[in-house]
Amino acid sequence: MGTETKAGTATLYVVATPIGNLSDITLRALEVLKSVHVIAAEDTRMTSRLLERHGIAGKLMAVHEHNERASAERIAGLLAEGQSVALVSDAGTPAISDPGAKVVAAVRDAGYPVVPVPGPSAVVAALSAAGFENSRFLFCGFLPARAGERRGALADLAGEPATLVFYEAPHRVVECVTDLCAALGGDRAIVFARELTKIHETIHRCRLDEAVAWLEADDNRQRGEFVLLVAGAPETGDDDAADFDGTLKILLDELPLKQAVALAVKLTGGSRNVLYERALALKDGE
Ligand code: SAM
């Protein structure tokens, strides 16, 4: 695979790298890192280790949070000279709670192709092993470090039905979980996805009101990198009832009430009592 597009334009590749285990890198990512002219890295020392491990001698430049805008211009300049660039962060996928978005936006604006080279990301790895059946999730990144702002953010999330996914630093994990429990209620499930792909990988599921005790039972449980996943808000009875109205109306137009309800129970999986109540209300012209 070449580093140029078919039209011969230099390309920015956004390359995902391991989140712990250095073997977690795709064949395509290695090919791209080998073949580009420049590798733009969040921390060049960290990326050097990865490149050494895979026998790649790349030309590195630093792109971090504090020089991202200036680096974006430099990268656009390299592309203008026909040099392809790979953008990597310290771990996982660039631009996911990491620098990268400004570079990508500037390069797109300058009219050069941006090609993702997908691979590890802690959010997806954690979700894949957490066992939440809800197919919807909301990635919230890091919550605010200040307690007041964090509690405000959590209050806004309390009614969200999607699985909530957070990144958290080890020194704040107890505070964060305490606030999660206060804001969302103790009976929701939380999954700790800690040190994924590393020696001390731990995936633990419990109720939110058991979570602080679990963390405090062993100091090691508060060390390392964390993804926290929390079950979404349970659907309320009212929402369910409203969701059933469409189905019930169609059935009530064609069938007697009892039969309409029986069929609606089969079709929606809803509770017979709730559906019966809604059917009566609809019949009465509510
Ligand atoms: N760009 C990265 C990605 O795609 O996942 C995330 C970078 S963000 C600066 C770092 C945070 O990601 C950590 O504080 C932690 O919350 C999460 N994280 C990264 N690696 C992890 C791992 N191996 N296990 C658990 N969480 C991890």
Side-chain angles (χ1 to χ4, degrees):
M1 187 189 59
T3 56
E4 316 292 354
T5 61
K6 279 189 187 132
T9 314
T11 298
L12 174 71
Y13 296 93
V14 184
V15 182
T17 58
I19 56 169
N21 186 324
L22 292 186
S23 298
D24 286 336
I25 185 149
T26 68
L27 296 175
R28 184 168 170 236
L30 292 175
E31 281 173 40
V32 167
L33 292 174
K34 257 183 224 156
S35 60
V36 289
H37 300 93
V38 176
I39 299 170
E42 186 183 4
D43 177 342
T44 52
R45 283 164 310 176
M46 185 101 175
T47 301
S48 296
R49 252 175 268 150
L50 176 71
L51 296 180
E52 267 166 38
R53 159 76 183 258
H54 294 286
I56 298 171
K59 185 174 161 197
L60 289 160
M61 70 173 267
V63 181
H64 42 76
E65 209 186 330
H66 305 293
N67 74 356
E68 199 181 344
R69 221 171 271 285
S71 302
E73 280 173 30
R74 253 183 86 197
I75 290 172
L78 290 168
L79 295 166
E81 291 166 13
Q83 303 200 37
S84 284
V85 178
L87 176 70
V88 298
S89 62
D90 287 355
T93 302
I96 307 298
S97 296
D98 259 343
K102 288 194 183 90
V103 171
V104 166
V107 167
R108 298 193 79 84
D109 287 351
Y112 296 102
V114 177
V115 172
V117 181
S121 186
V123 51
V124 174
L127 274 163
S128 74
F132 285 106
E133 287 184 32
N134 187 346
S135 59
R136 283 178 296 165
F137 70 90
L138 180 65
F139 175 56
C140 308
F142 289 96
L143 282 164
R146 287 170 199 267
E149 285 171 41
R150 183 170 60 240
R151 287 173 196 154
L154 288 174
D156 290 345
L157 290 170
E160 171 59 54
T163 301
L164 304 172
V165 188
F166 305 95
Y167 284 170
E168 192 48 278
H171 61 277
R172 262 199 299 270
V173 71
V174 170
E175 270 177 67
C176 173
V177 169
T178 305
D179 289 346
L180 281 167
C181 185
L184 309 180
D187 52 2
R188 289 206 207 175
I190 179 169
V191 170
F192 292 94
R194 174 179 163 261
E195 294 287 89
L196 293 171
T197 77
K198 304 185 208 175
I199 298 170
H200 297 294
E201 179 177 272
T202 312
I203 299 172
H204 177 75
R205 184 179 175 123
C206 61
R207 288 165 52 98
L208 261 177
D209 58 9
E210 299 162 343
V212 169
W214 181 78
L215 283 170
E216 290 181 338
D218 178 346
D219 284 349
N220 288 322
R221 291 180 184 166
Q222 295 170 44
R223 299 206 169 104
E225 296 193 280
F226 286 88
V227 183
L228 305 176
L229 307 97
V230 181
E235 303 281 355
T236 66
D238 286 345
D239 284 352
D240 285 350
D243 285 351
F244 297 146
D245 282 3
T247 309
L248 276 171
K249 274 181 198 156
I250 295 168
L251 295 171
L252 285 168
D253 281 344
E254 305 294 331
L255 298 167
L257 189 129
K258 263 189 159 176
Q259 263 179 281
V261 170
L263 208 49
V265 169
K266 284 189 186 157
L267 287 170
T268 63
S271 130
R272 181 175 297 277
N273 288 346
V274 170
L275 283 158
Y276 198 76
E277 290 292 324
R278 285 308 301 162
L280 283 177
L282 290 168
K283 268 257 175 229
D284 291 340
E286 182 205 291

